[in-house]
Amino acid sequence: MSPFANTPPPPYYAVIFSSTRTPVEQGYGETADAMVELAHQQPGFLGVESVRDSDLGITVSYWADLDAIRAWKQQADHQMAQQLGKERWYGNYVTRIAKVERDYSF
Amino acid sequence: MSPFANTPPPPYYAVIFSSTRTPVEQGYGETADAMVELAHQQPGFLGVESVRDSDLGITVSYWADLDAIRAWKQQADHQMAQQLGKERWYGNYVTRIAKVERDYSF
């Protein structure tokens, strides 16, 4: 499977989620996998790219528009995961919402 | 050192560079380090976050405006690194240029 998101021609939106982890593993992997699966079912979801090393994780999800991002942020199971993320799994995080204006590939 | 870019309040720009690597190591690490150092000296550079695992790398650099991104793309040493990147180090890559409209952190 390609690790690249198969996004349409711009414009579309990116949610750039950068995070550090706590040492707590309990439930993390299962929840992360479940959230990726759930995101795929959301209207307006375009794809996701995700990498983590020992210092930092970056997950970029791509969306058709801001309404799709808003709906995903408020989805009930995702809200529970966000809460657990703050309590257990993430040391710090930054979320940036950005409009992709141009892209090119090689 | 924090792995997070210390960006100002939006709006600002993000260059999301997702890539797969070839097995070729020759010159890669030195060039990558030199490019990060050089980027820091560019006008309008705001910060960078970078992660690579065995499947994918994501580097997000942050810039004040599109002119700063254009100047960085055309910087002479960076152009040479981009050329070597295509020839040697990267299997595939996607570059996305996006305007950050909102951010929040924890």
Side-chain angles (χ1 to χ4, degrees):
Chain A
M1 220 185 86
S2 167
F4 295 99
N6 185 19
T7 44
Y12 53 87
Y13 279 81
V15 178
I16 308 164
F17 178 76
S18 308
S19 64
T20 55
R21 288 271 280 110
T22 63
V24 180
E25 286 297 338
Q26 192 200 1
Y28 175 70
E30 302 88 303
T31 304
D33 291 349
M35 287 306 111
V36 168
E37 198 171 318
L38 194 60
H40 276 82
Q41 299 164 24
Q42 285 288 116
F45 176 78
L46 302 177
V48 62
E49 295 169 353
S50 192
V51 189
R52 180 169 296 283
D53 67 16
S54 54
D55 286 333
L56 186 71
I58 301 178
T59 296
V60 190
S61 58
Y62 299 99
W63 301 87
D65 52 39
L66 288 173
D67 283 344
I69 294 171
R70 222 170 276 128
W72 171 235
K73 190 166 160 44
Q74 288 164 8
Q75 200 277 348
D77 292 342
H78 185 213
Q79 285 222 318
M80 198 178 304
Q82 290 172 67
Q83 190 56 40
L84 285 171
K86 282 187 196 183
E87 289 171 16
R88 289 187 191 170
W89 301 312
Y90 295 120
N92 297 99
Y93 66 71
V94 181
T95 303
R96 295 177 173 98
I97 297 174
K99 183 180 190 178
V100 178
E101 299 180 346
R102 212 143 45 84
D103 61 16
Y104 47 93
S105 58
F106 167 74
Chain B
M1 219 187 87
S2 167
F4 295 99
N6 185 19
T7 45
Y12 53 88
Y13 279 82
V15 178
I16 307 165
F17 179 75
S18 307
S19 64
T20 55
R21 286 271 281 109
T22 63
V24 180
E25 287 297 340
Q26 192 199 3
Y28 175 70
E30 302 86 305
T31 305
D33 291 349
M35 288 306 112
V36 168
E37 197 171 318
L38 194 58
H40 276 82
Q41 298 164 24
Q42 285 286 120
F45 176 78
L46 302 177
V48 62
E49 296 169 353
S50 193
V51 189
R52 180 170 296 282
D53 68 16
S54 53
D55 286 333
L56 186 71
I58 301 178
T59 296
V60 190
S61 59
Y62 299 99
W63 301 87
D65 52 41
L66 288 174
D67 283 345
I69 294 172
R70 220 170 278 129
W72 171 234
K73 190 166 161 42
Q74 288 164 9
Q75 200 278 350
D77 292 342
H78 185 215
Q79 285 222 317
M80 196 177 305
Q82 289 172 68
Q83 190 55 42
L84 286 172
K86 284 188 196 182
E87 289 171 15
R88 290 188 190 169
W89 301 311
Y90 295 120
N92 297 99
Y93 67 69
V94 181
T95 304
R96 296 177 173 97
I97 296 174
K99 184 181 189 177
V100 178
E101 299 179 347
R102 212 141 45 85
D103 61 16
Y104 47 93
S105 58
F106 166 74

